[in-house]
Amino acid sequence: MIKKSAGIALRRSPAMKVGASVRRRAAAGLASGRSTLVDSVLMPAAQGSAARVQYAAVLDGHTLNLRALLPAGVPVAAPEADGSEADGSDADGADAPVRAHVLFISGGTRIRAAARLHRERDGQTSVQATVLLGEDIGGVPVTLGRWTLGLELDSGSPAPLRLQLIGDGAPAYGGPTRPLDTCVRTGRRHRLGLTPAGRLRLTIAPAVARAEVLRVNRAFTGTSVLFAVYGPDAARAGATPPIVELVEQQRRTVLRHTAEPLPADATAWRVTLPLGRLLDTSVRQTWSLRLVPGPRGGKPLELGRHGHDLRSPRKVLTPPKFTVRAEDGTFVEVKPQYTRRGALQLVCTPRKLGTP
């Protein structure tokens, strides 16, 4: 109890706020220095064989968004600035490479994805692409591991022009949201970075187990929580129902409830919590929910909202409060909330202890 209170006080202290400010300034300085390195060292060293990445990010967990400027002198008949398509030839009628592709390279494997050429207002030509990642969701068949990204410009000749993609990778974001790097359908994690030579690289990591809250239902006697299990520990049809532990943080009380499957979805479950019978109406209680590890062991999984793009789920995700009537007749206010890490908590306050 003392250890937990000390940790909360430390996180809320002015010293930690100063530390966060210093970290933000350090990150901004690192990004500025990396950009200077790319423009003053890496791009000149490429000697016209690289495109400068201006934007690259995986925004929704499985879609790569890319924009890069082609080097000067590349013979490309690009679309006009208003978006009209090129006719496939330059002003003299000679064939010019107008088909662009993003290359995903891993060892001897090369995968191509269609891209678009665009003429900027200053006369430069850019390449833009939106690529769905993952064959099982209808995208390019990239697999787990590291993939170096490049460009290919093809005019139909036997030897297409290939360019490196050099840049800063994913940009820094401010505000209440951040890029979502975990696919909500497969659980795979996508992270953009740079190789030691400054080339754009995509790292795909396997799904991690997580228990995702789908909905919190309210009732006069308690609540039921609908959740889904993703990752390597996801339950299959006919599997043993997971056991949910209801943990009271102050007194370390642990109660177990077996979840029931939801129809037509082997990964989705419902756990019913009869709070009216479980609550101690003499004190305020904070309950959290977690899954008991399966036969393969491991750590318990916290039920919560983990697959999101929010920086502070506790401030944004605010389920409505509701009232439960305990067996002794006391009315208890139940406030569902999410922690900084996205774990679900049920804060239960007896009316006689609350503010009138």
Side-chain angles (χ1 to χ4, degrees):
M1 179 64 182
I2 296 177
K3 181 178 179 181
K4 180 181 177 182
S5 300
I8 295 174
L10 180 61
R11 287 195 300 269
R12 294 179 178 177
S13 67
M16 289 300 292
K17 295 181 180 180
V18 172
S21 176
V22 171
R23 289 194 297 271
R24 285 194 296 269
R25 288 198 298 269
L30 179 61
S32 176
R34 187 171 59 236
S35 181
T36 301
L37 175 65
V38 169
D39 290 326
S40 61
V41 178
L42 299 179
M43 286 300 293
Q47 298 180 351
S49 64
R52 176 63 161 93
V53 176
Q54 294 200 316
Y55 181 86
V58 178
L59 296 183
D60 61 355
H62 51 231
T63 305
L64 170 67
N65 295 268
L66 175 68
R67 181 177 183 272
L69 286 179
L70 297 182
V74 174
V76 176
E80 297 300 329
D82 61 1
S84 59
E85 296 295 331
D87 60 5
S89 61
D90 60 16
D92 297 327
D95 291 338
V98 296
R99 289 181 297 172
H101 293 87
V102 179
L103 282 179
F104 296 82
I105 305 168
S106 178
T109 303
R110 280 176 167 77
I111 299 175
R112 293 167 176 80
R116 305 176 302 278
L117 294 173
H118 180 77
R119 177 159 296 152
E120 305 295 325
R121 295 186 182 277
D122 59 2
Q124 290 184 289
T125 302
S126 66
V127 173
Q128 303 174 13
T130 303
V131 183
L132 189 62
L133 303 172
E135 186 176 21
D136 48 357
I137 59 174
V140 294
V142 289
T143 55
L144 302 179
R146 293 179 174 179
W147 296 82
T148 302
L149 275 60
L151 290 178
E152 184 177 86
L153 303 176
D154 185 11
S155 63
S157 61
L161 177 63
R162 288 175 179 166
L163 300 173
Q164 303 176 39
L165 279 173
I166 294 180
D168 301 334
Y173 289 87
T177 60
R178 55 176 174 76
L180 180 63
D181 59 3
T182 300
C183 176
V184 296
R185 295 173 61 181
T186 66
R188 288 191 298 264
R189 294 164 291 161
H190 303 90
R191 183 173 60 85
L192 285 172
L194 300 179
T195 69
R199 297 186 65 180
L200 190 64
R201 180 167 62 189
L202 174 68
T203 301
I204 305 177
V208 296
R210 73 183 196 275
E212 196 77 16
V213 171
L214 304 177
R215 188 166 70 245
V216 178
N217 291 332
R218 296 169 290 170
F220 199 54
T221 57
T223 182
S224 62
V225 179
L226 278 60
F227 65 94
V229 182
Y230 300 103
D233 293 335
R236 303 302 175 196
T240 303
I243 297 176
V244 178
E245 288 185 336
L246 191 62
V247 183
E248 206 285 311
Q249 297 181 354
Q250 303 295 331
R251 300 185 181 182
R252 299 297 179 185
T253 304
V254 179
L255 305 173
R256 290 191 170 190
H257 297 269
T258 302
E260 57 181 340
L262 292 180
D265 190 342
T267 65
W269 305 87
R270 176 193 291 111
V271 59
T272 301
L273 306 175
L275 296 178
R277 293 194 290 106
L278 304 178
L279 295 177
D280 180 355
T281 57
S282 65
V283 66
R284 177 176 176 173
Q285 296 176 299
T286 300
W287 297 86
S288 60
L289 291 83
R290 67 189 185 191
L291 292 187
V292 175
R296 291 185 296 176
K299 295 181 178 180
L301 297 181
E302 293 181 323
L303 267 68
R305 294 288 298 274
H306 308 290
H308 57 75
D309 62 352
L310 303 172
R311 293 188 182 276
S312 180
R314 185 165 191 167
K315 295 181 179 179
V316 179
L317 302 176
T318 55
K321 303 176 185 178
F322 59 98
T323 299
V324 168
R325 187 179 186 274
E327 289 187 331
D328 64 358
T330 302
F331 291 95
V332 180
E333 181 185 81
V334 180
K335 177 185 178 184
Q337 67 181 22
Y338 293 94
T339 67
R340 294 177 183 271
R341 295 185 303 175
L344 176 65
Q345 291 181 334
L346 301 175
V347 181
C348 303
T349 306
R351 281 284 178 88
K352 60 185 179 182
L353 298 178
T355 302

